[in-house]
Amino acid sequence: MEILELMRSEIILTTGILLLLIAKVGDAKWSNQTMMTVVNIGLFGLLALGFLTEANGSVFGDMFTTNNLLRLEKNVLTLGTLIISMQAGSWLQKHEHATEFYLLLLTTLLGMFLMLSAGNLLMFYLGLEMSTLPIAALANFDLKKRRSSEAALKMILSSAFASGILLFGISWIYGTTGSISFENLPALLTGSPLQLFAIILLIAGFGFKISAVPFHLWTADVYEGAPMPVTSYLSVVSKGAVLFVFVSVLFKVFGSLSSVWYAVIVTLAIATMLIGNLFALRQQQIKGFLAFSSISQIGFILVAISGGTEQSTTATIFFVIVYLFSNLAAFGVAGLISQATGMENMDDYKGLRQSNPILAWMMALALFSLAGVPPMAGFFGKFFLIMAGAGKGNWLFIIFAALNMIIAMAYYLRLVRLMFMDQTDTPIQKITIPFQPRLALFLCAAGILLTGVFSGAYEYIYSLVR
Amino acid sequence: MNLLLLLLIPALTGLAIGFFPAKQSRLLALTGSGIQFGLCLFLLNNFLQQPDATLSGALLFQNDFVWYRALNIHLHTGIDGISLSMVLLTAFVVLAGVLVSWNIQKMSKEFFILLMLLSAGAYGFFISLDLFAMFFFLEIAVIPKFLLIGIWGSGKKEYSATKLALMLMGASALLFVGLLGLYMNQNGAESFSMIALAANPAPLAVQKFFFPFAFIGFGVFTALFPFHTWVPDGHSSAPTAGSMFLAGISMKLGGYGCLRVATYLMPDAAHYYAPWIILLAAIAILYGAFATMMQTDLKYINAFSSVSHCGFVLLGIGVLTKTGIAGAVIQMVSHGLMTALFFAMIGMVYERTHTRDISKMGGLLKAIPFISTLFVMVALCSLGLPGFSGFVAEMMVFIGAWENTNTLYRIATLAATASIVVTAVYILNAVGKVIMGPVKKESFMQLKDAAWYERSAALLLIAGILLIGLAPFLITNLIEPGTQSIMDKITIITK
Amino acid sequence: MNYLQEILVISTALFFIGIYGLLTRRNIIAILMSVELMLNSVNINFVAFNKYLFPNSLDGIFFTIFIITIAAAEEAIAIAIVINLYRNHNSVDIESTTLLKF
Amino acid sequence: MNYAQYIPLLLVLPLLSFAVLGIWGRKHLKNTSGILGTLVLLLLSIVAVSVAGHYFFVAEKLNDGYQSILALNIPWLTFGYKNLSIDMGLLLDPISAMMLVVITVVSLMVHVFSLGYMKGEERYPTYFAFLSLFTFSMLGLVLSANIFQMYIFWELVGVSSYLLIGFYFTKPTAVAAAKKAFIVTRFADLGFLIGILMLGIQAGTFDFLTLIERLTNPESEAFISMQAAGFLGISAITWALCLVFVGGAGKSAMFPLHIWLPDAMEGPTPVSALIHAATMVVAGVFLVARLFPIFHFNPTALNLVTWTGALSALFAAIIACTQTDIKRVLAYSTMSQIGYMMFALGVSGYGGEAGLGYTASLFHLFTHAFFKSLLFLGAGVIIHAIHSNDVKDMGGLRHALPVTHICFLIACLAIAGVPPLSGFFSKEEILLAAWQDNPAIYAIGLFTAGLTAFYMFRLYFLIFWNKPNTKPIHKEGSLWMKLPLIFLAAVSIVAGFIPFSQLVTSDQKPFWSSFHLLFSIAPLAMVILGIFMAYRLFKTPGEKAAALALRMGRLYQAASHKFYVDEVYLFVTRNIIYKMIGKPAARFDKQIVDGGVNGLGNGTRVFSEKIKGLQNGRIQWYLLVFLGGILLLSIVFIGINKI
Amino acid sequence: METSKIIFYLLGGFILGMALMAVTEKKIFRAAIWLLFTLIGVAGLYFWMSLEFIAAVQIIVYVGGIVVLIIFSVFLTHQAEEDMPKTNIVRKLAAGLSVLLGAAFTIRLFLTNDFSLSPVEFDSEVSRIGEAMLQTGPGGFLLPFEAVSMLLLAAMVGCIVIAIRPDKPDKAEKENNDPLTDRREKNLLNTENNYS
């Protein structure tokens, strides 16, 4: 019964998915609204459960491990999913496939859980695919929109290619070590060129998921085309999950080869920050803008990852939390506006402050947090990221990272400028915010304002990482 | 006394403004900043009663919270005479700023909240003894500035606001590298604590590498040539209170940082880079003055002259003598009060005449005597007339600079001294065109003189200016122990 | 006597042939076919390694089995998307799916 | 009670008066402010005169000499260097005591005169407030115990002068004149300041007495270091003294820093009498006299003083002959007389008889203050009467303005140096001192004396004789305006008999100056010649003057255009400072500094636009980049090392 | 051994040849057939390695499932008989070059790598696989098996939602009628002077 105890969240999640399936197949006559509320309550229960559980250990050989850190990471993902689900309300309400939406969404969440807990490359791969393929389907959920299909197509093709590359890399690792287990691998790694090649392939596979440059090109297109909730899920939850795994795999499994991957990560970080920023600078569309902004954020995370220390892990996890709140706040506002008016261009946000002060300030809060301005949590997040990266003493790199924050600031301020300073005769009309999105926004705001100023979150993560 | 009160009150005021209706905002803001003002005076009183205050440069009222234990980041606060004088300056300017903004109509709630946030940032910055906290508070102040200019400003406000925010952000980025360098290269435990860093400075090579980052980073805030270009645009586009805060407090953050962080924590590098600092400062002083001469917009005049005046701060720091450093501190306080008042007066003039072009005004002394008189007074202060604070500060910097016998320093000092003439030229030109001369428009005679809130703001600031100008020993005695302990650091290292 | 290296050459060649197809074909379905080639090559790798180098465990074999399964799922979703796209757009030419760019 | 305790009153009273009148004057003391200010001044003069009297005749004569007493010394601003500090002190010695009398008496007279002259002005209270401020600053200046304190009051005097010149602030010329006066003197003060910095920091003190003690002692450390250090082959002390003198020359309107003085006549006439004739403009002389022991040790600096003084005296006198604005003539005359005082100091030795020049200079300062302020006040009455400054509008006014006429004549005689009026004695001593030291200077002085007589009587005849051009609009005015004239005329007559060498000497020890009757012949002859020429040319209307002017040709043209100094200044400021420094600086700021930042921003933007092709929407291109990225990374990071 | 070798090379040649045909064939339907042969070739290779179970899975899933799916979709999209549009030659060259480079690089890497062959003979009993698949302990693969089932479930649901759609697409969503696109193009023109 160890399994029941350790895999409690996963089992509940699976049960939930199956219940949804039964409800769909049984043609249950409940409205979308009811179902959403039920799912949200369920997700909240899952989150609460995650905080209440304490058990640590492994089952299925080494295929499934769990401990407090992993549970925290899962909770973060659950929280993200919960917020997105709350925000998705207005989009989903009229959707004829709401049940399937949740079915797929929860499957990806389950996939992420399995991926996080994976003890070997096989489970990792399965989890990764499980958290990717349904999203591709989700991206197509604006069924009658060509943009949506196109996004889904780009997503599935890129991810197929990326998983091909990843598998190719895994096969070489398997070939040179004879093991796929994370536990055994470190001892078997020799650092032969073939292994290094495999690691680079692996990093590329990860890089694709977290959209590091040059593996990022799918990101913006997919974000723009996919429905808003899917985009925010992609950019926050799915990325977060892969980041968690990336950090732990890179440090724990390939830690001994850090001298090799350090250079690779630094290169990726530089390219990612620069390209992300430069492209974000010229975006006209809110989703594309957020896509590139998230790419540049990944660049900063890579700075921390290059450090290769416990601080790096802590900073990364912390930043993912901060980023979750900030980005979801931004997506939440954008989603509300998009739903109410269909406007997704940045120029449409002109004069938003006049008509919708709450939305404008929420967006500003989110943007400032993303830009790394105190007292928002983003400031702390970015500070710690770069601090973690500075441990290596590669100061030119750190200077480059610091300078990139200026460009980042430029485009975040541009949107603030549009919302607050530019005047227009036809601002977006007054939008009423339903209860659930309002609650979600409030959650995000609280997260943005409190996570950094109070050090509890960081300290807690650090205690777990150590 | 717990220094965190200084942060608490603006924060609470901001919150209260948020919860009460917009009509009450200004009253709440006034109450909050009034209480804060009283608190600062109370703090001064308490400070002077401490036996340590006047004897040693010890940091008093220390309060050390562990903020991020894992990273050895603390919220460590404490003050000495230097920081106290900056805190007092902030209290003066904030109170005056709130008074001047009494009649703000547009989004008054947000306006006052941002003002409070900005002031909280400044207070926090000045009382912090931990570099992280300092950086945190420094950055807090950036966005309110951006919004204040962009929303309530005039002219090409968006451009100016963006430029200001980006340049300050760039400065922060450099600064960030400098601070991290200090943190990482600390002997023993990594730490942001200024006390620990000062006790145990980094090796010379490290200092040499990181000093420029820290110094330029802070320098941009205080209009270090050639990174001053945000100053004229930012100041001229900002609303009155915004300009007052920008020039009165915000630029001082940089000067204080240059002194407290760059010079104090990296004394060897400070000596190494001193000629460059002096060169840049002298250029800024003269160049700023000459550039001012060509301006016709009142706010530009004051903004460019701020570049020139802030050059004195850097010069004082750069010469690395006790008098020079004391002069720099006094210049910060003096310039803060003076330029805040100047902007306040310009704002009042602008509100009435709806122009800031000096060639379109004239004879205001006849129409609005109170404002004009104060205008003339602050102008005279700006040109360094004895009796006003500017004179004291400039003279201290000159003497401090002249103490150093190096020829380069002397030439730079001479160049800087020459600015007193150029300053006189542009200031008197402005006064002559705006305040004196024939009354340009009939309508000027109908203008109303200052209302009570404007009067009290102006009198508050001029009182500060006159206090320093007439009794400079008050402030020199206050900061003397602080400068002495900085000097000890600097000289011991070199010997 | 074994042919490990020869098998690896075949698999690698297959992998890159797959990539070539992926990069050059304009019909989306043809691209999906190329993806299958890539995955097959990886399968060959796993099987060969398992058989010749690490016969004690079944990791490689199982990896292959799961890859095949997932490939099927992936293919299914991809084809569903293609069909949807075709309905919306009346084309399966990859060059025409450039609505989203910059 | 020691009388020295009253000295601080000398500063406190006018400051109080300034504050009270300045703050409440406009509203509450609209009409009483004049009386109030005058009463304060009366009190002040009583204190000053009694303090001076006490000092000279009762208290401080010890060992055959006057002692300098420090009535007060409070540290004001201390520096962390060589115990350097700026103190606020009150130093009483013969020259400051003498100046106290001059300042308070003239100021009182001006106050009284202003009661009548300024009546009905809109800013009547402000005017008296400013006068109080000026009196305060000037008294502070002469009582300063250290050089930095002096600099402080020096600036304050400058600003009060600025405020008073610009009193009629709606008149553009007044504003411009005020500005010019301030800026030119500020420019000179720059030199003063640098000089102070050099002196103070090298000597380790700003205090006058210590400074003099250290810098006149060839063994002291300060002296040696200042002699040793140098720049461009000139020792530091010479530089310092010359720079300090530049400050003095600026305030005292010495050539070539004199250009502000004639323009300063835009201010109300009583102000000109007080500031630009009697008190402020002699501050430079006072400064040199104050530091005389140090100057005396430095021939180079002293030579500079001498020649500047002599040139200015001659130069101004020539210009004065050609001007037609009554106040301008007086202004140039002031400049010329101050030139006298200056070169008298320059030719003076130190101690005893050798210090005759020093005594003569200050004697002239003393007498000049009275007759020159008398002249200005008289001019004030005239201007008041006919509402014009130009002598061409005057003429034949002796009947309309009888009291003024007599007083003006007395003053003219005094300034021309006709015995036994005061000017004669002081000028005689100056010429004697020059004769003893340097014949060239003496020659200039002598010639200038003749010119002085000429232009003064030219003025006198043109105003009071000649043909009447305008009918006086006003009468001579109230008693308030006449009383000061009469008083000052009386003083001008008798002041010459004060035994100055008993009171004010270079080493503060009295000596008996001898009076040479024979020596007076040459100057007297020159004076008589001058008066005679003026009489011939200007007593009656005619073409003689114009004809003479024509005959003088270029010289006359140049002189009437003030030798084009203003134009040179204008050229320098407009074309060099504005066009070659100011504008390029502004342009540099706009284009390079500002442009640099904008360029950086735009560059980034343009660059980001250029690379947008990367995101071209083609999935195969994306994957190709993906693959390329992997290959590049692999080849760079594995290939190079391992294969 | 000789026969085995010959068979191996034949198989290898067949696989690569068919694969090349599959990625260069102009007609999509034929390409699908070449793919089918490739997959069968791979299955043959597994047979050659005496891994019958994998070979069987290969044939069942790929040949029986995936290729059929592909052929269906080819018919659904009405492309079977037409020539596929030609690809830009530059693209082909770039792809070809990078692919060649990648292949050469990889091959060079593993040829220099020292693989130590195991002396133990691989036991290819199918029961071994079956047992492992249902074991929960170390060496067992029950968890991935279950996980994959969830994934397949999700994939199925996803496919159903996306592919099965009764109603016709909206006319408004057809190609160049996208309102967002129009505005975006306009904005792109404006970006040059957007910074002021």
Side-chain angles (χ1 to χ4, degrees), chain A residues 344-356:
Chain A
E344 291 188 358
N345 258 342
M346 284 170 80
D347 282 344
D348 299 332
Y349 283 64
K350 263 187 192 166
L352 188 64
R353 163 63 184 77
Q354 303 161 5
S355 51
N356 295 292

Side-chain angles (χ1 to χ4, degrees), chain D residues 523-544:
Chain D
L524 264 180
M526 286 301 290
V527 167
I528 291 164
L529 183 68
I531 296 174
F532 179 70
M533 292 267 293
Y535 175 79
R536 286 294 305 274
L537 290 171
F538 300 109
K539 166 86 190 307
T540 49
E543 300 303 310
K544 283 173 279 184

Side-chain angles (χ1 to χ4, degrees), chain B residues 147-226:
Chain B
L147 291 175
L148 281 177
I149 296 177
I151 299 176
W152 291 273
S154 56
K156 42 178 186 172
K157 54 183 183 152
E158 289 98 346
Y159 166 77
S160 308
T162 312
K163 189 169 171 184
L164 171 131
L166 290 185
M167 286 197 71
L168 294 190
M169 198 66 197
S172 309
L174 293 179
L175 188 56
F176 176 45
V177 174
L179 297 189
L180 270 187
L182 279 173
Y183 174 78
M184 294 289 170
N185 292 295
Q186 164 74 342
N187 305 330
E190 293 176 334
S191 169
F192 278 121
S193 159
M194 285 210 305
I195 295 172
L197 287 168
N200 200 355
L204 180 62
V206 173
Q207 288 191 17
K208 267 191 194 169
F209 185 78
F210 290 107
F211 182 85
F213 289 99
F215 196 88
I216 296 177
F218 279 122
V220 175
F221 277 82
T222 191
L224 171 72
F225 177 87

